[in-house]
């Protein structure tokens, strides 16, 4: 069996046909990777990585034959420079310090540019996960308190919800006691 990067030639052809047809029908690549992956018991990320690896194999005749006439291409991956990363990080943290979600903060910083927004979102998540010290440093340099962890935010929400429930219970108890007090006063006044 002749394989191209782990897929049989037939599987590679099937993937390319699926992507080509889906794109012509207006579907997003993300959607196509996910649905193809589910249909063929492969992870969405694995399908995506295979697709882009396939597009880069310009010197393989089999790949050229599969791609012929499809007009499929992969854009150049342009990584953030160190300066761009620091600027983006400070801008997102500044927006986050105003109380907005990560998604909204990144949308504001990217000025609605969807491709840039996706790049920033991926970079920001990667930084939070793999370079928390860099995030803390950027926050400190921007004069912003450090980003809270997911568990810290979850705990704060649970505490807030508990206070809200207690407040409702206390309000009800207070109303009940006022009613009892009024009854006692009216009996004593009689």
């Amino acid at each position: 069996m002749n394989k191209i990067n782990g897929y049989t030639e037939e599987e590679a052809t099937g993937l390319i046909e699926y992507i080509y047809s889906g794109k012509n029908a207006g579907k997003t690549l993300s959607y196509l990777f996910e649905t193809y992956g589910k249909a063929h018991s492969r992870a969405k990320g694995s399908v995506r990585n295979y697709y882009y690896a396939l597009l880069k194999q310009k010197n393989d005749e089999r790949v050229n034959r599969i791609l012929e006439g499809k007009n499929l291409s992969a854009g150049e991956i342009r990584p953030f420079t160190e300066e761009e990363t620091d600027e983006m990080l400070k801008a997102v943290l500044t927006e986050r310090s105003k109380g907005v979600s990560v998604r909204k903060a990144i949308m504001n910083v990217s000025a609605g540019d969807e491709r840039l927004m996706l790049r920033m979102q991926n970079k920001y998540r990667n930084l939070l996960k793999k370079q928390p010290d860099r995030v803390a440093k950027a926050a400190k340099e921007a004069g912003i308190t450090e980003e809270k962890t997911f568990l810290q935010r979850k705990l704060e929400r649970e505490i807030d919800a508990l206070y809200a429930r207690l407040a409702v219970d206390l309000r009800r108890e207070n109303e009940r006691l006022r009613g009892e007090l009024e009854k006692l006063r009216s009996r004593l006044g009689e």
Side-chain angles (χ1 to χ4, degrees):
M1 199 175 299
N2 236 352
K3 292 202 173 201
I4 303 171
N5 289 353
Y7 278 44
T8 64
E9 197 168 333
E10 184 179 278
E11 287 175 313
T13 302
L15 172 63
I16 293 302
E17 290 296 330
Y18 184 80
I19 299 292
Y20 178 71
S21 299
K23 283 190 75 171
N24 286 336
K27 305 291 184 202
T28 65
L29 278 175
S30 182
Y31 171 82
L32 294 170
F33 295 149
E34 184 175 349
T35 55
Y36 183 90
K38 283 180 182 175
H40 295 87
S41 301
R42 294 184 184 265
K44 172 185 174 180
S46 173
V47 174
R48 179 195 62 233
N49 293 344
Y50 182 78
Y51 171 74
Y52 286 120
L54 199 59
L55 292 180
K56 291 178 184 175
Q57 290 187 327
K58 304 288 186 200
N59 58 352
D60 188 322
E61 284 183 37
R62 297 172 302 164
V63 173
N64 289 333
R65 193 173 51 252
I66 293 169
L67 293 172
E68 188 175 355
K70 301 290 190 286
N71 198 27
L72 297 174
S73 62
E76 182 79 23
I77 296 174
R78 194 181 73 77
F80 285 97
T81 65
E82 292 299 311
E83 294 79 25
E84 288 173 328
T85 299
D86 290 336
E87 286 174 24
M88 180 272 302
L89 191 53
K90 288 176 187 174
V92 170
L93 290 171
T94 299
E95 287 295 309
R96 292 279 295 131
S97 72
K98 297 174 186 174
V100 299
S101 68
V102 170
R103 210 169 268 219
K104 178 75 172 167
I106 290 172
M107 188 185 329
N108 293 345
V109 172
S110 67
D113 179 335
E114 289 186 13
R115 285 184 181 221
L116 180 59
M117 191 167 76
L118 183 60
R119 287 181 64 225
M120 285 181 162
Q121 183 174 301
N122 291 337
K123 185 65 173 180
Y124 183 75
R125 286 182 179 161
N126 190 318
L127 290 167
L128 285 177
K129 184 177 180 182
K130 296 182 178 177
Q131 297 181 33
D133 294 340
R134 186 174 187 173
V135 175
K137 182 181 176 203
K140 186 176 180 182
E141 287 173 1
I144 301 165
T145 57
E146 208 170 314
E147 181 82 1
K148 293 178 181 171
T149 67
F150 170 77
L151 292 176
Q152 287 171 318
R153 290 189 307 270
K154 182 178 179 185
L155 181 59
E156 286 176 358
R157 283 192 304 270
E158 288 176 3
I159 290 170
D160 289 345
L162 176 61
Y163 277 128
R165 284 192 305 275
L166 289 173
V168 168
D169 291 344
L170 287 174
R171 210 172 308 121
R172 286 183 188 144
E173 180 66 11
N174 196 10
E175 288 171 11
R176 188 189 67 76
L177 290 173
R178 279 190 186 145
E180 291 293 319
L181 182 60
E182 287 303 315
K183 288 179 188 175
L184 287 172
R185 283 184 179 155
S186 65
R187 284 186 193 158
L188 287 175
E190 293 179 357

